[in-house]
Amino acid sequence: MTTDAPPSYRYLDNAASAPLDPRALAAMLPWLATAQTAAHGFANPASLHGPGQGARTAVQNALAQIAHCLGARPDEITLTSGATEANNWAIRGLAETLSASGRPRHLVTTAIEHPSVREPVRWLERAGWRVTYAPVDREGFVHPDLLAQAMGDDTALVSIIHGHNEIGTVQPLDELIEVAHRHGALFHADAAQTVGKLPLNVARLPVDYLTFSAHKCYGPKGVGGLFARHDAPAPAPLLLGGGQQQGRRSGVENPALAVGFATALHYACEEAPAESRRLRTLGRRLLERLRIELQESRFRLILNGPEDFHRRLPGNAHFSLLCEGHAPLEGEALALQLDLRGIGVSSGSACHSGSLTPSASVLALGKTQAEATATLRVSLGRENDDSDVEALIAALPAVLRRVVPAGRL
Ligand code: PMP
């Protein structure tokens, strides 16, 4: 990929990371202050002096604001370095807590989890836990009745991704949580892609643990968190040390990141109803335009994830491009060609890109190797509009000619 994006670059990869909201940046700046400024915003929130207490208040206010956006209590929110840490903590920390309390060791998840859930689950398996992977249908949905079949009397924890970072499927969380609770199990959801984008209120949704990340909703990178319901077992800390955040996660809190996250989330939640409608319309239009553009060509477009855009992440379009009589196209090559023409998309998830192995999540939908290799993900965000969709459509013929030199549109 090119390193210096030209000024007219069209960034359509918001699921990988969304641009920082300028309002969040403005709120962060005082907390990045240097020794020369009067505010002493750099101080340690654990220090007892005035600047330290100022920093502490900023972190507490940020926690209260984040909690308010989610319908949680401030003491149910712990800040982490992002969703990766929150997922690791939820899975490994809970495993430790539940094992210590003598709970049986069975976990139910899916084959389409983000690597930051998938890998800790594998770690649990190596540590002797039994893991069942509930099946997903061709659009990536987990069906409550099939989840029920995966449950056992000994199931301690269910972990299911809310909005899928690649294929965009948004799970019916309320129905899945109901199944888990009926079987006496706790429920963790990785909501890194949905918090700040879809209505999510833990006062109404009885989820036990919820992972979120700031940079997916226009906040800074390097901060996210875990909601853990006050009456659910507390995950044992991963990070031991000075006992910050009520002993749940040691390490000096970063007021700038906390304030930036809280501000970005506040605006994202406020704007989500209108913005999600706009992005769904834009995503649907992109797909329609792609289908029209390719209908008379040798290329076949297969949408991955739900056909119903109301059941997808707003702005997500994930598809496979197949070419008759040609070896499978590589999503990476398509994304690279688009990048060279000033359009940033990805072949799958950013965590996955760089490797040419097909996405495990796409394969889990029952797709072929060719379909799972020739994938492109477009994730539209706040800064995108119709002109970006048109630019992508306009660039496509040249991109396809380049990737399949003998191909005619
Ligand atoms: N879960 C999901 C669903 C994600 O999309 C991501 C980011 N790709 C993560 C977890 C990890 O988030 P973070 O970058 O905050 O560690």
Side-chain angles (χ1 to χ4, degrees):
M1 302 280 160
T2 51
T3 44
D4 287 322
S8 62
Y9 197 86
R10 294 176 189 270
Y11 182 83
L12 281 66
D13 198 16
N14 290 272
S17 197
L20 183 63
D21 186 325
R23 296 165 291 192
L25 176 62
M28 291 169 73
L29 288 176
W31 305 104
L32 295 167
T34 65
Q36 275 69 45
T37 60
H40 295 95
F42 58 85
N44 186 328
S47 297
L48 292 179
H49 46 58
Q53 290 307 295
R56 184 187 178 82
T57 305
V59 172
Q60 282 173 341
N61 289 344
L63 280 173
Q65 198 169 14
I66 293 165
H68 179 73
C69 292
L70 297 174
R73 300 178 1 179
D75 65 349
E76 292 175 319
I77 305 291
T78 307
L79 296 174
T80 64
S81 60
T84 298
E85 185 190 327
N87 282 337
N88 270 266
W89 182 33
I91 305 286
R92 294 177 65 160
L94 274 170
E96 189 180 328
T97 303
L98 298 172
S99 299
S101 68
R103 289 287 300 268
R105 292 154 34 119
H106 179 233
L107 178 141
V108 175
T109 186
T110 74
I112 61 166
E113 296 304 310
H114 186 268
S116 59
V117 165
R118 196 193 313 142
E119 292 305 321
V121 166
R122 286 194 182 141
W123 181 88
L124 247 62
E125 274 183 301
R126 291 193 293 277
W129 277 62
R130 207 160 57 77
V131 175
T132 303
Y133 293 86
V136 294
D137 70 13
R138 283 191 69 85
E139 293 191 328
F141 289 109
V142 180
H143 286 264
D145 45 346
L146 296 181
L147 176 62
Q149 282 176 28
M151 304 291 296
D153 295 339
D154 59 347
T155 311
L157 181 63
V158 177
S159 181
I160 295 181
I161 187 166
H162 185 203
H164 200 275
N165 49 303
E166 292 176 68
I167 55 173
T169 310
V170 178
Q171 301 293 342
L173 267 197
D174 45 355
E175 295 171 38
L176 303 179
I177 293 169
E178 199 274 317
V179 172
H181 286 172
R182 190 156 25 94
H183 288 80
L186 297 161
F187 197 100
H188 165 249
D190 175 357
Q193 291 287 349
T194 46
V195 162
K197 295 179 195 160
L198 295 177
L200 238 178
N201 188 313
V202 297
R204 289 194 286 276
L205 184 78
V207 68
D208 299 295
Y209 311 95
L210 194 85
T211 288
F212 43 88
S213 173
H215 72 108
K216 309 292 185 182
C217 57
Y218 308 97
K221 286 175 205 39
V223 62
L226 185 73
F227 157 80
R229 198 172 288 284
H230 62 277
D231 53 2
L238 281 189
L239 301 183
L240 305 173
Q244 285 88 346
Q245 301 202 66
Q246 301 169 66
R248 297 191 292 229
R249 200 254 186 195
S250 287
V252 173
E253 302 94 327
N254 185 329
L257 291 182
V259 167
F261 179 20
T263 308
L265 184 60
H266 166 77
Y267 288 114
C269 290
E270 197 174 78
E271 294 162 12
E275 182 63 357
S276 60
R277 266 197 306 279
R278 189 185 76 85
L279 289 178
R280 280 203 175 104
T281 307
L282 207 54
R284 207 182 295 114
R285 186 164 320 137
L286 168 65
L287 184 69
E288 280 161 12
R289 293 285 286 111
L290 282 169
R291 282 181 169 151
I292 292 169
E293 188 67 23
L294 296 173
Q295 69 188 357
E296 307 263 290
S297 77
R298 295 201 299 155
F299 295 91
R300 194 155 58 89
L301 180 140
I302 301 168
L303 181 71
N304 300 314
E307 191 68 40
D308 177 356
F309 272 67
H310 286 100
R311 305 189 76 193
R312 297 184 78 91
L313 285 174
N316 167 294
H318 186 285
F319 48 88
S320 305
L321 276 177
L322 303 184
C323 177
E324 261 170 54
H326 191 274
L329 306 185
E330 278 166 6
E332 290 283 322
L334 293 166
L336 181 60
Q337 286 301 322
L338 282 166
D339 179 55
L340 292 172
R341 288 161 180 80
I343 298 173
V345 300
S346 72
S347 60
S349 69
C351 317
H352 182 71
S353 66
S355 72
L356 291 179
T357 47
S359 151
S361 297
V362 179
L363 286 175
L365 306 179
K367 306 273 175 173
T368 63
Q369 290 277 333
E371 288 167 352
T373 307
T375 54
L376 272 188
R377 178 188 69 185
V378 179
S379 47
L380 303 163
R382 201 179 261 174
E383 302 196 340
N384 298 128
D385 60 20
D386 252 343
S387 71
D388 298 305
V389 169
E390 290 310 316
L392 177 62
I393 300 293
L396 206 60
V399 166
L400 292 175
R401 265 199 303 277
R402 183 85 199 177
V403 177
V404 186
R408 276 177 296 107
L409 276 186

